[in-house]
Amino acid sequence: MTKRSDFVVVANRLPVDEEATVEGRRWRASPGGLVTALCPVARAHRGAWVGWGGAAGPAPDPFDHDGIQLYPVGLSSADVECFYEGQSNSTIWPLYHDAVEPPAFDRTWGDAYRTVNARFADAAAGVAARGATVWIHDYQLQLVPAMLRARRPDLRIGFFLHIPFPPIELFMQMPLRAEILRGLLGADLVGFQQKLAAQNFVRLARHLLGLRYRGTTIDVDGRGVRAGAFPISIDPKEMEQLAATEEIKARARQIRTELGNPKTLILGVDRLDYTKGIELRLGAFRELLEDGTLTVPETTLVQVATPSRERVEHYDMLRTRVEREVGRINGDFSRVGIPAVHYLHQSYSRPELAALYCAADVMMVTPLRDGMNLVAKEYIAARIDQGGALVLSEFAGAANELRHAFLCNPHDPDAVKEALLRAIGVGRADGRRRMQIMQRYLRAHDVDRWARSFLEILQAPEAHE
Ligand code: GDG
């Protein structure tokens, strides 16, 4: 029997991953920004979470996890192919990231997107108590706000988009464009990572549907829909505490020793995704080795590329290109036993990530476009020694906040090289000063504040004007 909840999170994925084992089904806590951000909020509200477990098949029964009621939604293999890999990750993801890879369009994917979104809306409608707050997340579920409002007009509905929201000209390419926009407008509050995204959204509502707006409140049939920027963050204490342990300090030293004690260790940590700018980073590194500005073994690049969306064609092609470039650099510049690039297509534990962050002299975060980028924030939080330097793309949402990083335009290879060299050459005092300023900022702008600020506005009486 379903116990209805006053606070419901709806996200594509549950905070746990389903694993098929010989003994049957097993659940494993799934790491990642969204889960770390929302679990404490859901727990504090004794809330419910509606999402997919990550394996194709019928939905398992609801269960309790760490004080949160989980309501799995089932996706068939065809849903995974058309809704998840197709419409979500081959159409919307590239389109919303400035079409840095051409989006693919397929009309059967649109049908699947609609059907699966309706399934999430049905599940949320069945779980939410009367007048409950429902917080829907991300680009896979943009139709859910309106679908849920149609089923349950008593609810207070918030939506947060974790990725960028594109300018009008790009959004207009989308075959489902009006439906998606109306879907989002079913919410009382639509949150974005950046002001620019919220402005794109409000302007689009006028352009596509002729809706009027004042400030960032859109008039939808007499109902006020607010749009706003709520830059997501991390819990800096997690990385600070890890970095303070003797184990992590020792492991960071060990990593450097194992790499042959380079003078400069450069690090990249990304999901293997074409938006993250891994290729351009490798290209900048190669050019600096070619002209002799950097040399091996004094300098080493470690690139962690976490496996991601491996069945989507663009990702498979990216992997081939990245691995070819790594091979080319290593072929030209490695020495016996001393590779120029250490390429790791693997997932790591949080402590190992923390040790890598602590070991790195320069962290390169160079996405072509990124909603926020939590890796940049985690690196800053981990540097309790105030060492290290961050090279950060202006096209990551984080660049609006981390102004003391070495900012660069990732589309300009010379700008990336210049920022990297400035970061490598930063003086100790200047480096410390930059780190301190950014750490102070992060402590005051943590993930709790992000969730609280969104929910306060969502639950304020004016939201139902
Ligand atoms: C989307 C938006 C936005 C990575 N490798 C491992 C691992 N990670 C963790 C990182 C970080 C998270 O995954 C990645 O977050 P990002 O923000 O960098 O990127 P996306 O996955 O693209 O996230 C993004 C975010 O949503 C939140 O709104 O910032 O713009 O694209 O926390 O540490 N974690 C572990 N092992 C790994 O190998 N344990």
Side-chain angles (χ1 to χ4, degrees):
M1 182 65 205
T2 300
K3 190 174 113 300
R4 298 205 164 204
S5 218
D6 288 322
F7 182 77
V8 183
V9 169
V10 187
N12 180 49
R13 296 295 290 267
L14 287 171
V16 288
D17 285 335
E18 189 178 342
E19 273 184 333
T21 67
V22 275
E23 295 98 51
R25 215 194 298 275
R26 201 173 56 191
W27 296 95
R28 200 168 40 102
S30 73
L34 189 144
V35 168
T36 332
L38 286 171
C39 272
V41 189
R43 242 193 324 267
H45 287 78
R46 283 208 233 111
W49 189 308
V50 174
W52 174 46
D61 289 334
F63 60 100
D64 190 83
H65 166 81
D66 214 2
I68 308 170
Q69 266 303 113
L70 303 189
Y71 292 86
V73 172
L75 295 191
S76 66
S77 326
D79 293 333
V80 174
E81 190 187 325
C82 299
F83 154 77
Y84 180 68
E85 293 165 355
Q87 183 71 19
S88 298
N89 286 325
S90 301
T91 305
I92 299 173
W93 177 271
L95 191 65
Y96 282 26
H97 285 89
D98 285 354
V100 294
E101 283 284 340
F105 299 106
D106 182 316
R107 58 165 76 81
T108 60
W109 295 349
D111 290 340
Y113 191 76
R114 219 172 273 129
T115 310
V116 173
N117 271 246
R119 202 174 302 152
F120 274 83
D122 284 336
V127 168
R130 186 151 190 82
T133 295
V134 180
W135 195 0
I136 302 156
H137 290 264
D138 230 0
Y139 62 100
Q140 303 92 349
L141 303 180
Q142 294 173 99
L143 303 179
V144 174
M147 288 175 162
L148 185 57
R149 180 169 296 281
R151 288 160 176 74
R152 294 287 307 274
D154 59 298
L155 300 176
R156 190 146 293 201
I157 303 172
F159 181 92
F160 184 77
L161 186 70
H162 291 256
I163 67 174
F165 193 77
I168 294 178
E169 314 82 86
L170 270 177
F171 187 87
M172 293 303 281
Q173 290 183 13
M174 175 99 72
L176 297 186
R177 60 195 187 187
E179 202 173 335
I180 286 189
L181 180 57
R182 279 198 210 97
L184 292 169
L185 289 167
D188 295 294
L189 175 62
V190 186
F192 299 91
Q193 302 273 26
Q194 294 193 58
K195 273 208 188 102
L196 207 64
Q199 284 162 7
N200 286 343
F201 177 70
V202 167
R203 289 193 193 120
L204 179 74
R206 183 172 65 187
H207 180 83
L208 190 55
L209 300 177
L211 298 176
R212 289 197 315 201
Y213 62 86
R214 183 142 27 111
T216 49
T217 302
I218 307 164
D219 183 350
V220 183
D221 310 325
R223 191 170 57 85
V225 177
R226 296 173 174 199
F230 302 87
I232 199 167
S233 196
I234 57 164
D235 171 13
K237 289 191 293 301
E238 183 219 6
M239 278 295 154
E240 284 170 17
Q241 282 163 4
L242 277 173
T245 62
E246 282 314 313
E247 288 85 342
I248 300 298
K249 286 183 195 166
R251 177 65 190 135
R253 283 195 298 272
Q254 187 188 21
I255 288 172
R256 292 191 70 101
T257 310
E258 283 171 358
L259 292 169
N261 279 318
K263 190 164 154 279
T264 308
L265 169 51
I266 305 170
L267 176 66
V269 174
D270 313 80
R271 275 188 309 100
L272 185 52
D273 192 300
Y274 50 81
T275 60
K276 301 291 183 184
I278 301 169
E279 288 174 280
L280 69 92
R281 190 180 309 158
L282 290 169
F285 185 55
R286 178 172 41 75
E287 286 188 19
L288 289 168
L289 291 174
E290 274 167 359
D291 66 18
T293 314
L294 296 180
T295 50
V296 178
E298 287 74 18
T299 315
T300 300
L301 171 64
V302 172
Q303 176 63 56
V304 174
T306 314
S308 184
R309 304 175 192 169
E310 290 179 293
R311 294 185 352 155
V312 178
E313 198 189 350
H314 277 148
Y315 288 76
D316 195 39
M317 281 154 43
L318 170 75
R319 182 173 175 189
T320 306
R321 291 197 306 268
V322 165
E323 293 181 355
R324 194 184 302 136
E325 180 68 0
V326 170
R328 182 175 162 200
I329 298 174
N330 280 339
D332 288 344
F333 299 102
S334 296
R335 308 259 191 94
V336 174
I338 311 172
V341 180
H342 293 254
Y343 167 75
L344 305 156
H345 182 245
Q346 296 162 44
S347 261
Y348 287 93
S349 66
R350 302 296 287 170
E352 184 68 2
L353 275 190
L356 282 164
Y357 291 150
C358 292
D361 299 296
V362 177
M363 179 86 209
M364 287 194 85
V365 177
T366 53
L368 296 163
R369 174 60 80 190
D370 214 332
M372 175 53 64
N373 198 294
L374 298 180
V375 168
K377 293 188 170 181
E378 289 166 0
Y379 178 69
I380 300 294
R383 297 314 300 247
I384 52 173
D385 61 347
Q386 272 120 38
L390 173 66
V391 173
L392 180 59
S393 159
E394 291 164 11
F395 288 72
N400 288 333
E401 299 172 90
L402 304 177
R403 306 300 302 171
H404 287 78
F406 293 90
L407 297 176
C408 65
N409 171 8
H411 299 274
D412 175 357
D414 292 331
V416 176
K417 284 159 66 179
E418 195 201 307
L420 175 57
L421 291 177
R422 284 178 60 218
I424 290 175
V426 68
R428 186 179 283 253
D430 188 22
R432 284 180 76 89
R433 186 186 62 88
R434 289 168 182 263
M435 275 292 163
Q436 274 167 349
I437 295 173
M438 293 191 283
Q439 287 172 350
R440 223 175 295 136
Y441 180 89
L442 276 188
R443 285 200 200 103
H445 296 82
D446 65 1
V447 67
D448 274 352
R449 178 179 161 143
W450 166 76
R452 255 186 293 115
S453 63
F454 184 92
L455 292 173
E456 266 167 26
I457 296 191
L458 175 60
Q459 291 167 339
E462 310 87 86
H464 266 320
E465 263 165 8

